[in-house]
Amino acid sequence: MATHDAVPKPSTPDTDDTSIANATRNASVDERKLENGRPAHDSMGEKSEMKLVSLEPEDDPKNIPHFRKWLVVLVISSAALCATCTSSIAASAESGEALDFHVSKEVTILGISLYVEGLGCGPLLLGPLSEFYGRNPVYWVSYFLFFVFSFPVAFAPNIVVFLIFRFISGFASSAFLSVAGGSVGDMFTNETVASPMAVYTISPFLGPVVGPLISGFINQHLNWRWTYRVQIIWTFFELLALIAFVPETFQPAILKRKAQKIRKHEHIEVYALLEVENKGLLHAITVSCYKPFELLLFDRMALMLDLWNALVLGILYLAFQAFPIIFGEKHGFNVQMTGVSFLGIGIGLVLGTLSQPLWNRLYKRESLKYGGRPPPEMRLLMGMPGGILVAIGLFWIAFTTFPGVHWIVPLLGSVPFGTGIVYVFTATFTYLVVAYRPIAASAMAANSALRSSFAAVFPLFAGQMYNRLGTVGATALLGGLTAVMAPLPFIFYKYGARIRATSKYAVA
């Protein structure tokens, strides 16, 4: 029979900052315990005699067999890849949609924008739900709804239905941008989490690059609706894999089920902490909705870093309209070859991810200078070359888009752009989690909301900008904007500690 503790054992604070996952998975719980800077009311004081079920080794998700852990990582990473790939598969289908729905191409671009906006809004709701019901119920329900709501997109009778359900399907699929990272952190220790987290982290950014590649081949040979039919088939198999291979990894949810089972079969009154804590779902959702925007309004460091991320992601999504102009109109690529032109960014993303062990070793070496407890600003080291590479990649593309220059040259320019994306986001994500640890979930939600807004808006003006400024001027303008933002990691590396000392949100 399971053992029980009358009083919960105090948790050990996370002293290893190498893990972004361990900070984020408990962040929202920390936020609910902070009300106006003071601990919230703890209902356990009134139930001190209540027996709490304990976590046995066989219950601990960290003790799952190594092969099974990696299988879970690959399944949730592929599910995240599918969700974000669905955002950009619409790019190559826009001409067919405009023809069938009798609308302009600019209207069909909303198919990308609304889906991305759904991806940004969804985490505000799905994040708190996972803390009450566990990871798996959120995965299963959200992905099932993603699957179901993709049918009205594929078989839409008019543009209104198409656009409405693009937003809804994006909202439903967003669980893998807000919850899945927690599953990886649940299963791995601080010492072993870096590699699996790197695999998961690249998936949401690789997905938008893979989208045009897939849809380009489909739309070159089939009706545009097959773009979404193929996506539905992919989503169905991902749903089956989630149900078959992904166990519950959220410890409070595991303990809750264990306590319920003991009460039912052994008739012993034991409870899980999740059952007796004084938590309200509505309050959690409310905090999840307003706290990120409060952070953006009142913390200038978080705002600047989030704007930097938003600009970079906005440019990535703008590329779905720019590359057809650069490679399609200037170099005569057909639909499927225009999709292939995104391989440069994809290669850059993979190269950036493969270099992660080098950065881990650098971080450990630098950490020794601070006795193993480096300041959060150490996380910005990776962002320094990242910002420079993004700007270099865009200027490279800008000044090689002339028809007389071989197409491989601008395509090669997109490789450092892709590598820079990995460095920028990895540096910013880890810094936000460590520097804003008490409200890490809100810090990441604020970043996600602003990123998604830029990614939704940028494609809408891409065509007009490139028509007016030309491929050189428009791409150079984007490169100039990223060059202006590139000094941010250098500035915050030097002055971040001083800024954090004056912030009521960041750790001092």
Side-chain angles (χ1 to χ4, degrees):
M1 187 179 74
T3 59
H4 318 294
D5 295 327
V7 179
K9 297 177 182 178
S11 59
T12 303
D14 180 12
T15 58
D16 188 346
D17 287 339
T18 61
S19 171
I20 183 174
N22 288 326
T24 55
R25 67 186 177 195
N26 294 321
S28 293
V29 177
D30 293 338
E31 292 176 46
R32 288 197 303 271
K33 291 179 180 178
L34 293 173
E35 294 179 356
N36 299 323
R38 298 184 297 275
H41 173 68
D42 185 2
S43 63
M44 288 303 298
E46 301 174 358
K47 303 182 181 182
S48 58
E49 301 302 320
M50 184 174 293
K51 290 185 177 179
L52 297 178
V53 67
S54 60
L55 188 72
E56 300 297 328
E58 62 269 19
D59 304 321
D60 192 343
K62 288 184 172 59
N63 293 328
I64 295 174
H66 189 70
F67 173 80
R68 179 89 185 276
K69 288 181 182 179
W70 271 101
L71 178 62
V72 173
V73 170
L74 293 177
V75 169
I76 63 176
S77 297
S78 63
L81 181 74
C82 177
T84 53
C85 177
T86 303
S87 68
S88 61
I89 59 173
S92 298
E94 288 167 357
S95 297
E97 294 162 8
L99 188 63
D100 277 13
F101 294 141
H102 307 291
V103 294
S104 66
K105 190 174 183 293
E106 285 72 21
V107 174
T108 62
I109 295 174
L110 287 170
I112 294 178
S113 298
L114 290 174
Y115 185 93
V116 174
E117 200 58 50
L119 285 177
C121 295
L124 300 178
L125 172 66
L126 298 178
L129 287 178
S130 71
E131 295 173 9
F132 283 83
Y133 303 109
R135 316 283 193 212
N136 271 359
V138 173
Y139 288 157
W140 296 344
V141 174
S142 66
Y143 227 73
F144 175 75
L145 293 176
F146 177 38
F147 171 68
V148 170
F149 290 134
S150 294
F151 279 91
V153 174
F155 299 95
N158 55 61
I159 190 65
V160 175
V161 172
F162 175 81
L163 294 178
I164 289 174
F165 282 95
R166 278 289 286 175
F167 174 80
I168 295 174
S169 59
F171 188 97
S173 68
S174 64
F176 289 86
L177 302 185
S178 59
V179 181
S183 292
V184 178
D186 292 340
M187 296 185 293
F188 293 88
T189 62
N190 288 343
E191 294 74 23
T192 61
V193 76
S195 294
M197 185 59 71
V199 172
Y200 164 71
T201 302
I202 192 178
S203 300
F205 299 107
L206 191 59
V209 176
V210 173
L213 181 64
I214 295 174
S215 63
F217 279 95
I218 294 173
N219 285 275
Q220 181 69 33
H221 303 286
L222 299 170
N223 182 274
W224 68 269
R225 293 184 185 272
W226 275 102
T227 306
Y228 303 102
R229 292 168 185 168
V230 170
Q231 175 255 313
I232 289 173
I233 296 170
W234 184 6
T235 304
F236 175 72
F237 283 104
E238 290 288 356
L239 179 60
L240 293 182
L242 287 168
I243 296 172
F245 301 119
V246 179
E248 180 58 64
T249 61
F250 190 49
Q251 288 188 11
I254 294 172
L255 291 174
K256 179 180 178 180
R257 293 179 186 174
K258 182 177 180 180
Q260 291 172 339
K261 185 176 180 180
I262 291 174
R263 291 198 301 270
K264 180 178 180 180
H265 297 288
E266 301 181 24
H267 306 291
I268 299 176
E269 289 299 310
V270 294
Y271 296 87
L273 190 61
L274 190 63
E275 296 178 290
V276 296
E277 281 185 331
N278 184 26
K279 300 193 298 184
L281 178 58
L282 182 60
H283 176 260
I285 294 174
T286 303
V287 171
S288 177
C289 289
Y290 83 78
K291 183 66 73 173
F293 299 101
E294 178 184 334
L295 184 65
L296 289 175
L297 287 173
F298 298 108
D299 192 285
R300 61 182 181 274
M301 186 162 62
L303 173 62
M304 293 305 296
L305 289 173
D306 290 349
L307 281 173
W308 186 31
N309 281 198
L311 175 65
V312 172
L313 192 67
I315 293 172
L316 176 61
Y317 272 85
L318 181 143
F320 302 139
Q321 308 302 320
F323 274 32
I325 298 174
I326 295 172
F327 294 100
E329 297 180 11
K330 297 290 184 180
H331 293 284
F333 280 23
N334 59 23
V335 175
Q336 69 181 23
M337 290 308 297
T338 300
V340 172
S341 67
F342 287 89
L343 276 177
I345 300 177
I347 292 171
L349 290 170
V350 173
L351 290 176
T353 303
L354 292 177
S355 70
Q356 185 65 44
L358 299 177
W359 290 102
N360 290 341
R361 286 199 290 271
L362 173 64
Y363 180 77
K364 288 180 181 179
R365 187 174 71 244
E366 293 296 318
S367 297
L368 295 177
K369 300 178 182 178
Y370 298 91
R373 296 186 64 86
E377 286 68 34
M378 292 294 297
R379 292 295 183 180
L380 294 174
L381 288 173
M382 198 175 188
M384 294 176 181
I388 295 172
L389 285 173
V390 167
I392 288 175
L394 289 172
F395 282 121
W396 183 338
I397 296 170
F399 296 110
T400 58
T401 57
F402 302 104
V405 180
H406 195 277
W407 58 263
I408 194 64
V409 180
L411 194 149
L412 289 175
S414 66
V415 174
F417 175 65
T419 302
I421 289 174
V422 174
Y423 290 170
V424 167
F425 282 110
T426 301
T428 307
F429 288 177
T430 52
Y431 181 73
L432 288 174
V433 166
V434 176
Y436 296 87
R437 187 176 293 274
I439 57 166
S442 289
M444 292 304 296
N447 183 282
S448 176
L450 200 59
R451 276 189 290 128
S452 298
S453 298
F454 274 52
V457 171
F458 272 44
L460 296 175
F461 61 75
Q464 293 88 337
M465 184 174 75
Y466 271 78
N467 288 334
R468 176 167 299 215
L469 300 179
T471 55
V472 177
T475 312
L477 174 61
L478 298 175
L481 291 174
T482 59
V484 170
M485 303 296 280
L488 282 180
F490 297 91
I491 295 172
F492 290 138
Y493 180 80
K494 184 173 183 179
Y495 300 106
R498 189 183 307 174
I499 297 173
R500 282 189 290 109
T502 62
S503 171
K504 67 176 183 178
Y505 303 101
V507 294

